[in-house]
Amino acid sequence: MIKVIAFDADDTLWVNEPFFREAEEEFASLMEGFMPRHSSIKELYLTEIGNLGLYGYGIKGFMLSMIQTALRISEHKIPVKAIDKILEIGYEMMQKPVEILPGVEEVLAELQGEYRLVMATKGDLVDQEKKLKKSGLDHYFHHIEIMSEKKVADFAKLVRHLDVAPEEFLMMGNSLKSDVLPVLELGGHAIHIPYHITWEHERIEHEVEHDNFYQAEHIAQVVEMIKAM
């Protein structure tokens, strides 16, 4: 039944969220003279969410949100050197090596040839393309889709482009909100592979119950799951 298998990238194929958490802590340290650490991290998150419609997802938007938050928290009194440090934090994030998660390449190698493999991820186009190239995983994928959002309409567009029915499409990733729920609503299949850190914006409070929903503790488990579908 399954013809196309799509993989999320960040925290499914490679490490991502820990770098943002480290950057948040560095930002909080810079702002300690103006606001307690936990409060400045909360303010940064609120700025990020407010800017998603303008900047989208990714490091560049995160950098701009840090600067905007720093200016607001400090009432524009933050030293120029601190702004320079925020830019440095962002530059360092963009230069991080790509750390492929355990089991990923083995799964891709086993599934390639039997299914069309797709990378379907959110984020900045340039940044995600660079990470994919650095990862050395690009040759496994039939198609690369870097999306500004992962909603039902976005997946419907992807399925149409791939010329498959929703029930022939399987998505796997670490986010229930972005990788699972929209695909299930579309009529496709989804496997949730949790990561130990989840961005607050990607959390949901309810349990997912659906005939096409599968839960894996580790990506190495998905091959047997797919064969049993």
Side-chain angles (χ1 to χ4, degrees):
M1 183 188 302
I2 304 297
K3 293 183 179 179
V4 173
I5 301 175
F7 293 78
D8 173 52
D10 292 335
D11 300 317
T12 300
L13 298 179
W14 51 65
V15 174
N16 179 67
E17 190 61 24
F19 300 142
F20 282 86
R21 295 295 173 88
E22 290 170 8
E24 285 175 351
E25 291 298 330
E26 288 188 69
F27 173 80
S29 295
L30 284 174
M31 302 310 300
E32 278 188 311
F34 301 99
M35 183 175 281
R37 297 177 66 89
H38 69 279
S39 298
S40 60
I41 290 175
K42 182 178 179 181
E43 287 298 318
L44 174 57
Y45 173 73
L46 293 174
T47 306
E48 284 183 83
I49 299 306
N51 285 337
L52 283 178
L54 183 63
Y55 301 147
Y57 299 87
I59 296 172
K60 294 170 189 172
F62 180 68
M63 289 169 65
L64 291 170
S65 293
M66 283 194 289
I67 293 171
Q68 185 178 337
T69 306
L71 291 170
R72 184 176 73 251
I73 288 174
S74 69
E75 298 180 343
H76 290 76
K77 296 175 183 176
I78 189 167
V80 174
K81 286 185 177 180
I83 299 294
D84 190 54
K85 177 59 180 176
I86 289 172
L87 291 172
E88 183 182 319
I89 292 169
Y91 293 147
E92 288 176 355
M93 290 175 72
M94 286 189 278
Q95 299 303 318
K96 293 282 188 183
V98 175
E99 182 182 341
I100 300 172
L101 289 167
V104 164
E105 190 151 15
E106 291 82 355
V107 167
L108 292 173
E110 190 161 353
L111 295 175
Q112 189 184 37
E114 292 190 46
Y115 306 89
R116 278 188 285 163
L117 303 186
V118 171
M119 189 183 89
T121 191
K122 289 190 295 191
D124 177 79
L125 177 63
V126 174
D127 188 40
Q128 294 292 45
E129 286 181 339
K130 284 172 63 179
K131 285 196 284 187
L132 178 59
K133 186 175 180 180
K134 283 182 181 179
S135 75
L137 301 176
D138 49 328
H139 64 283
Y140 289 108
F141 296 108
H142 165 80
H143 176 73
I144 307 299
E145 190 79 9
I146 299 172
M147 310 153 87
S148 57
E149 277 291 356
K150 281 183 172 177
K151 298 186 182 297
V152 177
D154 303 293
F155 281 108
K157 181 181 177 182
L158 174 59
V159 166
R160 287 195 302 270
H161 177 78
L162 295 168
D163 194 26
V164 292
E167 59 268 22
E168 297 171 326
F169 180 83
L170 167 67
M171 178 72 195
M172 62 179 75
N174 67 297
S175 172
L176 289 167
K177 180 179 178 181
S178 295
D179 300 319
V180 171
L181 295 180
V183 174
L184 295 178
E185 185 175 340
L186 183 63
H189 302 257
I191 299 177
H192 179 227
I193 309 168
Y195 189 64
H196 68 281
I197 300 176
T198 302
W199 186 29
E200 186 175 349
H201 183 62
E202 295 292 339
R203 294 176 186 167
I204 63 171
E205 299 301 325
H206 62 278
E207 296 290 328
V208 178
E209 294 184 6
H210 196 285
D211 289 343
N212 292 352
F213 172 64
Y214 305 85
Q215 182 81 44
E217 294 182 5
H218 189 275
I219 196 168
Q221 298 174 334
V222 304
V223 174
E224 291 304 316
M225 287 183 176
I226 294 166
K227 289 179 178 179
M229 289 181 186

